[in-house]
């Protein structure tokens, strides 16, 4: 079973609809991240969370919100979807070594979202 | 956040070595140099990282300039499976600000 799972894998929705993308991980990591990727571009950070009580905005948080329901679950919501939010969305998890220094980030398979 | 500069694309033949360059002239003392790659239709995957010294692992080698303003990812023998977009990323190693900031990466094509 995959360590980082995302649901749904594909979603088509209409402008103005509310949509939630979910991410679950079995790695036991405290840190979770949401990114979006537009065609031909690198990933851009939307939100990140270092633990259940910690939520931080990334580069492009406008139009998005998140919820960290548990250590293993981190959801991304689009309250009122618009066409320019059509993109590939990735969730990632990471840890931080007690000896100092960040662990690698492990990415999910992605959710392809189309807003019509 | 510190930025990196990479060529948009590179080509290689199978079983030849590949050297992927990255410039990061504004690197700070706490920045780690990370490389991730993204295979077609997949999420990024970790390749290697380093702070000051050269690093080797089963996937690749990382050569870091003495002044840390540039680095090179080395794939010793490219395979078709290595065709991907390679991202060079400066990662702030501080506990409270740890995050990855991706650039546009280098698209590596590998020919049989």
């Amino acid at each position: 079973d995959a360590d980082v799972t995302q649901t749904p894998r594909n979603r088509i929705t209409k402008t103005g609809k509310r949509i939630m993308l979910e991410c679950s991980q079995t790695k036991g990591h405290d840190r979770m991240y949401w990114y979006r990727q537009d065609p031909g571009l690198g990933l851009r950070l939307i939100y990140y969370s270092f633990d259940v009580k910690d939520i931080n905005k990334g580069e492009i948080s406008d139009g998005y919100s998140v919820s960290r329901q548990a250590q293993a679950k981190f959801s991304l919501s689009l309250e009122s979807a618009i066409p320019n939010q059509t993109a590939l969305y990735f969730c990632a998890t990471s840890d931080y070594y007690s000896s100092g220094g960040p662990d690698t980030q492990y990415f999910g398979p992605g959710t392809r979202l189309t807003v019509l | 956040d510190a930025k990196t500069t990479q060529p948009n694309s590179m080509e290689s033949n199978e079983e030849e070595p590949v050297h992927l360059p990255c410039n990061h002239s504004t690197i700070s003392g706490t920045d780690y140099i990370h490389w991730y790659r993204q295979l077609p239709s997949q999420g990024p995957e970790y390749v290697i990282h380093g702070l000051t010294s050269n690093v080797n692992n089963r996937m690749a080698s990382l050569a870091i300039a003495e002044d840390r303003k540039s680095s090179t990812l080395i794939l010793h023998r490219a395979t078709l499976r290595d065709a991907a977009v390679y991202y060079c990323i400066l990662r702030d190693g501080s506990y409270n600000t740890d995050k990855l900031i991706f650039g546009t990466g280098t698209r590596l094509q590998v020919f049989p």
Side-chain angles (χ1 to χ4, degrees), chain A residues 31 33 35 37 41-43 45 48 50 59 90 94 96 101-105 107-109, chain B residues 32 34 36 38 42-44 46 87 91 93-104:
Chain A
R31 301 180 176 215
Y33 306 78
Y35 297 86
Q37 185 174 34
L41 300 180
L43 282 70
L45 184 63
Y48 59 106
F50 284 173
E59 304 170 80
F90 290 101
S94 181
Y96 202 91
D103 191 7
T104 63
Q105 287 196 10
F107 286 80
Chain B
Y32 288 78
H34 279 243
Y36 282 71
Q38 187 174 18
Q42 294 187 26
Y46 168 79
Y87 296 100
R91 185 173 183 182
S94 302
Y95 183 85
N96 291 326
T97 57
D98 175 41
K99 55 184 182 290
L100 297 178
I101 303 297
F102 285 78
T104 54

Side-chain angles (χ1 to χ4, degrees), chain B residues 7-24:
Chain B
N8 289 332
S9 63
M10 293 186 65
E11 297 178 351
S12 175
N13 294 317
E14 203 173 8
E15 299 195 1
E16 289 185 352
V18 181
H19 291 234
L20 298 167
C22 182
N23 288 319
H24 28 78

Side-chain angles (χ1 to χ4, degrees), chain A:
Chain A
D1 289 337
D3 294 320
V4 184
T5 57
Q6 294 184 233
T7 55
R9 294 294 311 280
N10 289 283
R11 181 71 182 267
I12 300 174
T13 191
K14 294 182 179 180
T15 297
K17 294 291 188 181
R18 183 180 187 275
I19 185 166
M20 179 181 288
L21 309 183
E22 298 185 340
C23 177
S24 296
Q25 52 109 349
T26 58
K27 298 191 73 66
H29 289 166
D30 285 329
R31 301 180 176 215
M32 299 187 73
Y33 306 78
W34 274 106
Y35 297 86
R36 70 174 274 175
Q37 185 174 34
D38 295 284
L41 300 180
L43 282 70
R44 291 185 290 169
L45 184 63
I46 305 172
Y47 271 96
Y48 59 106
S49 168
F50 284 173
D51 64 39
V52 175
K53 297 180 181 179
D54 176 79
I55 301 289
N56 303 283
K57 293 183 177 180
E59 304 170 80
I60 52 164
S61 58
D62 288 348
Y64 301 95
S65 62
V66 290
S67 173
R68 185 80 185 268
Q69 301 96 322
Q71 185 203 38
K73 296 184 182 296
F74 192 36
S75 300
L76 176 72
S77 294
L78 288 67
E79 296 300 327
S80 180
I82 56 176
N84 75 2
Q85 291 177 313
T86 294
L88 194 53
Y89 290 84
F90 290 101
C91 173
T93 75
S94 181
D95 210 344
Y96 202 91
Y97 295 125
S98 57
S99 59
D103 191 7
T104 63
Q105 287 196 10
Y106 297 87
F107 286 80
T111 293
R112 186 170 298 279
L113 176 65
T114 303
V115 183
L116 302 176

Side-chain angles (χ1 to χ4, degrees), chain B residues 24-97:
Chain B
H24 28 78
S25 58
T26 59
I27 191 169
S28 71
T30 58
D31 285 337
Y32 288 78
I33 301 162
H34 279 243
W35 285 81
Y36 282 71
R37 72 179 186 181
Q38 187 174 18
L39 301 171
S41 302
Q42 294 187 26
E45 63 176 356
Y46 168 79
V47 177
I48 200 168
H49 79 280
L51 185 60
T52 56
S53 302
N54 294 344
V55 184
N56 299 297
N57 66 20
R58 64 175 181 80
M59 290 180 69
S61 295
L62 176 61
I64 301 173
E66 196 168 337
D67 64 5
R68 301 213 319 132
K69 294 184 176 181
S70 65
S71 61
T72 302
L73 178 70
I74 302 166
L75 307 179
H76 295 286
R77 293 182 64 192
T79 68
L80 297 178
R81 193 190 176 279
D82 291 323
V85 178
Y86 287 79
Y87 296 100
C88 170
I89 301 166
L90 298 184
R91 185 173 183 182
D92 183 347
S94 302
Y95 183 85
N96 291 326
T97 57

